[in-house]
Amino acid sequence: MPKDGGIGASSKRREDVRFLTGAGNYTDDMNMWGQAHVFFLRSDVAHGTLTNVDTSAAAEMPGVVQIFTGADFEEVGSIPCGWQVTDKHGEPMQEPRHPVLAHGKVRHVGEPIAAVVAETLEQARDAAEAISVDIDELPAVVNMKEAVQDGAPKVHDDLTSNLCYDWGFVEENKDAVNKAFDEAAHVTTLELVNNRLVANPMEPRVAIGDYSRAGDEHTLYTTSQNPHVIRLLMGAFVLGIPEHKLRVVSPDVGGGFGTKIFHYQEEAFCTFAAKACNRPVKWTSSRTEAFMSDAHGRDHVTKIELALDADNNFTALRTDTYANMGAYLSTFAPSVPTWLHGTLMAGNYKTPLIYVNVKAVFTNTVPVDAYRGAGRPEASFQLERLVDKAAHELEVDPIALRRQNFITEFPYATPVAVEYDTGDYNATMDKLEEMADLSGFDARRKASEAKGRLRGFGVNCYIEACGIAPSNLVGQLGARAGLYESATVRVNATGGLVVMTGSHSHGQGHETSFAQVVADMIGIDEGMVEIVHGDTSKVPMGMGTYGSRSLAVGGSAMVRATEKIIAKAKKIAAHLMEASEADIELKDGAFSVAGTDKSVAWGDVTLAAYVPHNYPLEDVEPGLEETAFYDPSNFTYPSGAYACEVELDPDTGEVKIERFLAADDFGNVVNPMIVTGQVHGGLAQGIGQALLENCAYDSDGQLLSGSYMDYAMPRASDLPFYEVDHSCQTPCTHNPLGVKGCGEAGAIGSPPAVVNAVLDAMRSGGKDVGHIDMPVTPARVWAAMNG
Amino acid sequence: MYNFDVERPQSIADAVQALSREDAQPLSGGQTLIPTLKARLAAPSVLVSLGDVDEMKGVCMSDGGQLCIGGATTHATVAAEAAAHYPALASLAARIGDPAVRNRGTIGGSVANNDPSACYPAGVLGSGATVVTNAREIAADDYFQGMFTTALEEGEIVTEVKFPIPQAAHYEKFLQPASRFPLVAAFVARFSDGVRVAITGASNDGVFRWSEAEAALASNFSASALDGLSVDSTDMISDLHGTAEYRAHLIGVMTKRAVAAIG
């Protein structure tokens, strides 16, 4: 019997009422009295020396308030990077200055050169066209392996090369890993590309700077996944505004997928210009600008090798990856190919020896940073493609080879520095096999072949690490931020609650699922709990939402704060009933004295807290409001097994996904409907990466896929009806809810299954090509089939 | 976009008059023109909307048995109203873009623009239709002159397209995954006196007739008649979505499928 409220209930998403009826309050919906509009003049060349930027004619254009260039920001800080990676020699990464507006050089197509503030956007745009820009074009570096060759053009003249860092993990294991390869009975090798993606949230980025002369107070309204992080980075490092004079508001945000984590130049510009112009300054990204200014995702080129003994046990793994940073270091870019990628290379397997090498490279392209999964999809893709390739080389069943090498005992310390607390990889694989109807596959394949199509089945496992933590560990790894979360629970006199969470919801449904947790703990109706987020003036310092961390970390902070509320409320209840505090029980929203029929309602206690006439004033303060900060002791480790069945048209190379199955272990689940929705969305993005999406540059650094005419987003008709299960649940052992996180799983777990299925279909047509790169477009499949 | 004036003439004569203004540009659906204006890639002084010219709208059969479609007729209207007369053409119209495109875009706009990946040019050329303008009638074989190039003179408007009705026809298209324009599409029409095959999406020269296939199909109207025929890839489009060789290959596949669909 499904629950109708509280933890475990598929409560309808309360926020959807406003989203679906046009009542949402997105940043672009906000307009300030007296606001001016900004248009950024962006570079149309990938690499060049800025010899002259002449704004004199433009400044005379109608409606122009003020025009800014890089020279105006010389005294302003660099856009900071939030993570410093140490290379394999113990040296810090190379970290270039990242100006708000280009100065001296332009380094990628789309980099802002000048900004025009005008009465209207069209006037700003007209004036921008009147700015005279002289650029001496330089050769662009786009290909990562070419970029690290001696003599390659340098993206940053003041750095020694285009190599940001050369990271070895774990460096001490390297010799032992190489020895294991020398002694291996079989070695499988795979070279692959993890294609560059553009996140494409439905809502483009928006920033509005507002400044009050009265109190010397700045406000930034922005489409951010973590307003406090923006306040800290922009305030402290770029503009030098103390946090008590800077408020950052992220209202309703229409999707983030990682690309709205980062602090962008446009935010700093609008905040700066609002004071300089003494009026609000608003910028709304066009979709064209989004393609060339939102941080991109993925873009790895990898060689990976697996060593096996004569019994097909995995004995060692080594990888050699080039990771594209783009032209500048976006906020968390250095952490993605290292600590979010190298640490996941054990996957679901007990491979005893692992060595990961990552070379992060600067190129004349848009900065690359975290995108749904961030490092973990790259890890899972290469590993699960490799294991599949090994199975075919060894002529063993791919599922059996995986099962043979599964980690089965927990906790399990991997050779890449993390400890999995719980998991049951055979359970999710059992569930997947049950859903997959493998025995019926031959008949389905024959039916496809009767239509002239090839049918393929592909499977993969995944493990991810969510809720990146604890803060003291990530500090040692180079994070320049803490990774705790905060919550304040404010109980009103009449019993309703407001929870101010440091997490941020940009589509995840926190307003519903977080309310379910608190309501369940107290035993009251969910409607009595309101969730507030996204405003640094209301919410205690929090770290925001990314890395599937919100329920595991933010939810845990909320639980801790609610526990404090309940503890205090019990003291008040004990006083009201003249009983011992130890005898007070809370159930279904009422406090009772154990073993008696004495009872007071939740509302009686909350009223007493604020109207403390009959109250233990000598022992307990009035009021009912508590704050908690929660810093997890470990990551959480969701895992699962996915399968894909495709039909392939050998005449055209077209691939159609017939079935997609996902068996996930997310630990405990608060709202199964929302979890299913999160998996669906993740799968769409994973399948999009596998079949459709490709951010491509030409050798001059021009963006070839700069609009939806050339960048293929997945549409409903590209996707099957998913079969999703999350009944396998091994609760997390170290957070109070036993939850693991579900936001990224679909995007992490699905690409290898798709590609494995396509290769299986091709093999059934007599063509074994070993590997095919994503996106697996019809043109690529046809070329591979006929190569 | 830049500022411009808008004129909304009620008749072809008034439209022609309005288009005589300097830097005037006709607007007939705007599914290409409006995005171009928004990107500031065009700067007409005046947009002459053909949307109010009633004499350029509608679908009817002529006494001579031709399907006549007014230049300002939307794809959605053609999809609905041509179905009884020329199902293959109605089906082509029904599969252009998405509903929003089909409710704004017009046949005259598409044929005048002659995008190398548009659907209508294949239907017009494959049917051997006649493009009627305010000044003259132009046979499809003379009308399409290369990528975004037609026989239209400055200020000349496509007022109508007249289609002979073939015995049978079919439009088979393979979608470019991002834009969902044809990556390659074939329009095959069988007439009592021959077969016409028009290919869109593939060539750097825009829509073209595959004459070898037409000859082979004229003597043996079956997919197998195309076995062994191939298109030279030299002039084919090569881009992110497919090489010239791939497009040349797809021409054969799409044509065979169109023939097979006709039966």
Side-chain angles (χ1 to χ4, degrees):
Chain A
M1 190 66 182
K3 293 185 70 176
D4 58 5
I7 293 173
S10 283
S11 301
K12 292 283 193 324
R13 289 173 27 128
R14 55 171 75 171
E15 47 270 79
D16 284 352
V17 175
R18 70 175 190 274
F19 294 156
L20 297 177
T21 59
N25 181 38
Y26 296 89
T27 311
D28 193 49
D29 292 327
M30 305 169 83
N31 291 292
M32 306 291 134
W33 186 84
Q35 78 187 9
H37 298 265
V38 59
F39 181 80
F40 290 97
L41 178 64
R42 296 177 184 275
S43 179
D44 56 5
V45 304
H47 195 195
T49 304
L50 270 172
T51 55
N52 187 37
V53 182
D54 182 356
T55 62
S56 53
E60 303 304 316
M61 299 277 287
V64 170
V65 175
Q66 196 168 339
I67 300 178
F68 298 82
T69 67
D72 296 305
F73 287 85
E74 278 186 275
E75 304 302 316
V76 168
S78 168
I79 300 293
C81 180
W83 201 297
Q84 184 182 58
V85 166
T86 302
D87 76 6
K88 65 183 183 184
H89 307 297
E91 298 296 321
M93 67 187 188
Q94 295 205 84
E95 193 170 354
R97 180 176 164 82
H98 187 180
V100 174
L101 297 176
H103 196 51
K105 263 177 97 172
V106 288
R107 297 183 175 87
H108 68 85
V109 168
E111 181 171 8
I113 295 171
V116 180
V117 179
E119 299 294 338
T120 71
L121 180 59
E122 288 299 309
Q123 287 173 329
R125 209 170 161 184
D126 287 342
E129 287 184 4
I131 296 174
S132 167
V133 177
D134 296 327
I135 299 177
D136 281 350
E137 256 190 85
L138 296 166
V141 282
V142 176
N143 179 292
M144 287 188 278
K145 290 183 181 175
E146 290 172 11
V148 294
Q149 298 294 315
D150 287 344
K154 284 203 286 184
V155 178
H156 297 277
D157 300 330
D158 52 336
L159 302 186
T160 58
S161 69
N162 292 320
L163 186 64
C164 176
Y165 55 75
D166 184 350
W167 185 74
F169 187 66
V170 175
E171 199 61 28
E172 293 72 33
N173 292 349
K174 190 176 179 179
D175 292 343
V177 169
N178 290 339
K179 184 163 176 285
F181 272 90
D182 293 342
E183 294 166 355
H186 182 85
V187 173
T188 295
T189 303
L190 182 60
E191 293 187 44
L192 52 79
V193 172
N194 202 290
N195 42 323
R196 179 185 276 239
L197 303 175
V198 182
N200 280 306
M202 194 179 290
E203 177 206 31
R205 290 189 293 119
V206 183
I208 308 170
D210 194 12
Y211 176 70
S212 164
R213 273 196 306 144
D216 186 28
E217 287 164 340
H218 299 261
T219 303
L220 170 68
Y221 301 89
T222 184
T223 49
S224 175
Q225 298 176 214
N226 35 219
H228 279 100
V229 174
I230 303 304
R231 187 181 69 167
L232 180 63
L233 293 177
M234 186 180 79
F237 296 100
V238 185
L239 300 177
I241 304 169
E243 284 153 289
H244 62 285
K245 292 292 187 188
L246 175 59
R247 174 184 173 210
V248 177
V249 182
S250 264
D252 287 333
V253 173
F257 312 114
T259 205
K260 289 177 180 167
I261 297 171
F262 322 121
H263 173 44
Y264 287 94
Q265 297 106 299
E266 293 89 354
E267 294 170 320
F269 176 82
C270 290
T271 307
F272 179 90
K275 183 175 182 180
C277 303
N278 193 29
R279 58 192 290 187
V281 171
K282 180 174 185 176
W283 171 72
T284 299
S285 173
S286 68
R287 189 59 69 180
T288 304
E289 283 181 288
F291 271 99
M292 54 183 172
S293 67
D294 289 3
H296 294 169
R298 315 281 192 261
D299 204 350
H300 287 192
V301 176
T302 292
K303 179 183 177 187
I304 181 168
E305 299 167 284
L306 178 67
L308 300 97
D309 68 15
D311 297 322
N312 297 340
N313 297 308
F314 302 167
T315 57
L317 183 81
R318 66 184 171 203
T319 77
D320 182 7
T321 287
Y322 289 80
N324 207 332
M325 295 286 103
Y328 298 99
L329 291 179
S330 177
T331 308
F332 290 114
S335 68
V336 174
T338 51
W339 301 110
L340 295 175
H341 165 255
T343 51
L344 271 295
M345 283 315 307
N348 308 60
Y349 309 109
K350 53 193 177 195
T351 315
L353 289 162
I354 297 175
Y355 178 72
V356 179
N357 178 248
V358 177
K359 296 177 185 72
V361 182
F362 293 111
T363 59
N364 291 114
T365 62
V366 170
V368 181
D369 204 329
Y371 167 70
R372 201 170 192 167
R376 291 151 288 173
E378 294 90 322
S380 141
F381 183 68
Q382 50 184 293
L383 185 58
E384 292 298 319
R385 279 287 307 111
L386 183 72
V387 171
D388 230 54
K389 187 161 187 266
H392 292 292
E393 288 176 358
L394 296 165
E395 297 180 343
V396 297
D397 175 50
I399 293 177
L401 182 64
R402 286 178 167 89
R403 286 186 184 271
Q404 177 185 338
N405 287 282
F406 273 163
I407 296 161
T408 53
E409 291 177 13
F410 296 87
Y412 176 83
T414 73
V416 277
V418 290
E419 184 175 284
Y420 301 161
D421 58 344
T422 57
D424 187 344
Y425 309 144
N426 277 308
T428 45
M429 187 59 88
D430 289 346
K431 175 55 76 174
L432 185 78
E433 288 202 48
E434 177 191 321
M435 295 158 72
D437 181 24
L438 288 171
S439 60
F441 179 74
D442 282 344
R444 295 196 292 278
R445 174 171 273 173
K446 284 196 175 67
S448 295
E449 287 172 351
K451 296 186 292 181
R453 304 287 195 264
L454 302 172
R455 197 173 186 101
F457 179 81
V459 67
N460 70 261
C461 305
Y462 78 88
I463 176 101
E464 60 165 322
C466 303
I468 177 170
S471 292
N472 53 5
L473 172 67
V474 297
Q476 289 169 26
L477 304 183
R480 290 163 168 164
L483 284 163
Y484 59 85
E485 198 45 89
S486 68
T488 293
V489 176
R490 177 177 297 160
V491 185
N492 294 318
T494 53
L497 294 89
V498 181
V499 179
M500 284 142 285
T501 170
S503 298
H504 185 276
S505 186
H506 29 279
Q508 292 89 343
H510 294 173
E511 291 169 41
T512 303
S513 54
F514 279 27
Q516 285 177 251
V517 172
V518 174
D520 194 270
M521 289 176 72
I522 300 172
I524 53 176
D525 187 81
E526 288 167 25
M528 291 176 68
V529 184
E530 198 70 23
I531 306 296
V532 171
H533 60 90
D535 186 340
T536 60
S537 71
K538 294 179 180 169
V539 175
M541 176 81 177
M543 298 309 294
T545 287
Y546 39 82
S548 307
R549 71 192 297 270
S550 295
L551 192 60
V553 190
S556 297
M558 186 177 69
V559 168
R560 292 281 185 256
T562 306
E563 285 170 352
K564 292 185 192 179
I565 292 283
I566 291 171
K568 182 171 178 182
K570 281 183 174 176
K571 284 190 167 69
I572 303 167
H575 176 89
L576 292 177
M577 293 186 282
E578 298 176 341
S580 163
E581 185 188 330
D583 294 335
I584 303 296
E585 293 171 350
L586 171 62
K587 188 166 184 288
D588 296 336
F591 295 92
S592 58
V593 182
T596 75
D597 59 358
K598 281 188 183 174
S599 168
V600 287
W602 168 253
D604 295 331
V605 173
T606 62
L607 188 65
Y610 290 96
V611 188
H613 296 166
N614 175 17
Y615 197 85
L617 284 167
E618 60 283 5
D619 299 323
V620 184
E621 291 175 9
L624 203 48
E625 176 167 327
E626 299 288 349
T627 294
F629 286 75
Y630 177 81
D631 204 291
S633 59
N634 191 358
F635 293 83
T636 65
Y637 299 95
S639 62
Y642 285 12
C644 180
E645 221 168 289
V646 300
E647 214 174 55
L648 187 158
D649 181 343
D651 292 334
T652 63
E654 186 174 27
V655 171
K656 191 167 185 308
I657 296 184
E658 293 292 313
R659 302 181 72 202
F660 201 98
L661 319 162
D664 292 294
D665 175 0
F666 296 131
N668 293 334
V669 167
V670 169
N671 185 317
M673 179 198 71
I674 288 179
V675 168
T676 298
Q678 287 285 310
V679 175
H680 283 196
L683 292 176
Q685 285 179 301
I687 291 169
Q689 172 169 30
L691 292 184
L692 295 159
E693 298 184 47
N694 189 26
C695 178
Y697 282 91
D698 71 10
S699 57
D700 294 326
Q702 290 294 329
L703 186 56
L704 297 176
S705 49
S707 79
Y708 292 135
M709 292 300 280
D710 289 301
Y711 189 92
M713 291 294 284
R715 303 178 213 206
S717 61
D718 295 315
L719 303 167
F721 280 92
Y722 308 121
E723 297 162 65
V724 171
D725 180 273
H726 31 79
S727 63
C728 300
Q729 296 179 353
T730 60
C732 172
T733 58
H734 57 80
N735 66 45
L737 290 165
V739 297
K740 295 185 174 182
C742 68
E744 296 163 297
I748 293 169
S750 51
V754 175
V755 178
N756 289 342
V758 171
L759 292 167
D760 184 53
M762 289 168 73
R763 274 191 302 270
S764 78
K767 194 77 184 176
D768 189 352
V769 297
H771 179 67
I772 187 167
D773 273 324
M774 302 186 292
V776 183
T777 61
R780 282 183 174 170
V781 172
W782 178 79
M785 293 287 284
N786 293 281
Chain B
M1 53 183 72
Y2 298 108
N3 285 338
F4 49 80
D5 293 335
V6 176
E7 293 216 20
R8 304 187 68 91
Q10 309 287 309
S11 69
I12 293 171
D14 287 350
V16 171
Q17 179 65 32
L19 282 167
S20 66
R21 286 176 58 179
E22 193 176 348
D23 293 330
Q25 171 89 40
L27 173 69
S28 187
Q31 297 307 293
T32 301
L33 181 57
I34 297 295
T36 306
L37 293 174
K38 287 171 80 173
R40 294 192 163 200
L41 296 172
S45 60
V46 54
L47 277 190
V48 179
S49 170
L50 305 178
D52 289 348
V53 182
D54 288 342
E55 60 185 305
M56 280 174 56
K57 288 184 184 174
V59 176
C60 67
M61 290 299 293
S62 74
D63 294 343
Q66 291 200 315
L67 177 72
C68 302
I69 302 175
T73 309
T74 64
H75 311 326
T77 300
V78 174
E81 297 182 11
H85 311 294
Y86 193 171
L89 190 73
S91 167
L92 175 151
R95 289 181 280 151
I96 297 172
D98 55 28
V101 169
R102 292 193 289 274
N103 281 309
R104 297 297 302 179
T106 66
I107 186 169
S110 174
V111 169
N113 190 45
N114 192 19
D115 186 304
S117 298
C119 295
Y120 259 131
V124 172
L125 186 63
S127 303
T130 302
V131 178
V132 182
T133 76
N134 55 299
R136 55 186 170 143
E137 296 198 352
I138 310 167
D141 286 329
D142 301 324
Y143 176 84
F144 297 103
Q145 299 186 348
M147 188 182 278
F148 296 111
T149 309
T150 68
L152 292 176
E153 302 286 342
E154 194 69 29
E156 194 174 5
I157 304 170
V158 176
T159 56
E160 185 180 21
V161 184
K162 296 195 289 193
F163 292 86
I165 309 286
Q167 293 169 337
H170 186 79
Y171 180 60
E172 185 77 21
K173 76 173 164 181
F174 193 78
L175 297 176
Q176 194 258 53
S179 69
R180 299 215 169 174
F181 275 67
L183 190 70
V184 168
F187 194 95
V188 176
R190 187 173 67 181
F191 293 88
S192 58
D193 59 349
V195 176
R196 292 177 71 100
V197 177
I199 306 296
T200 188
S203 172
N204 283 316
D205 295 325
V207 66
F208 69 98
R209 285 172 67 184
W210 186 15
S211 46
E212 281 177 288
E214 291 179 351
L217 292 168
S219 55
N220 174 17
F221 194 84
S222 71
S224 61
L226 299 169
D227 287 344
L229 291 189
S230 62
V231 177
D232 183 3
S233 63
T234 309
D235 291 327
M236 296 297 122
I237 297 169
S238 190
D239 63 13
L240 199 54
H241 308 287
T243 59
E245 293 72 26
Y246 181 57
R247 281 186 165 86
H249 165 76
L250 281 180
I251 290 171
V253 177
M254 292 300 109
T255 307
K256 280 186 183 179
R257 289 186 179 178
V259 171
I262 292 170

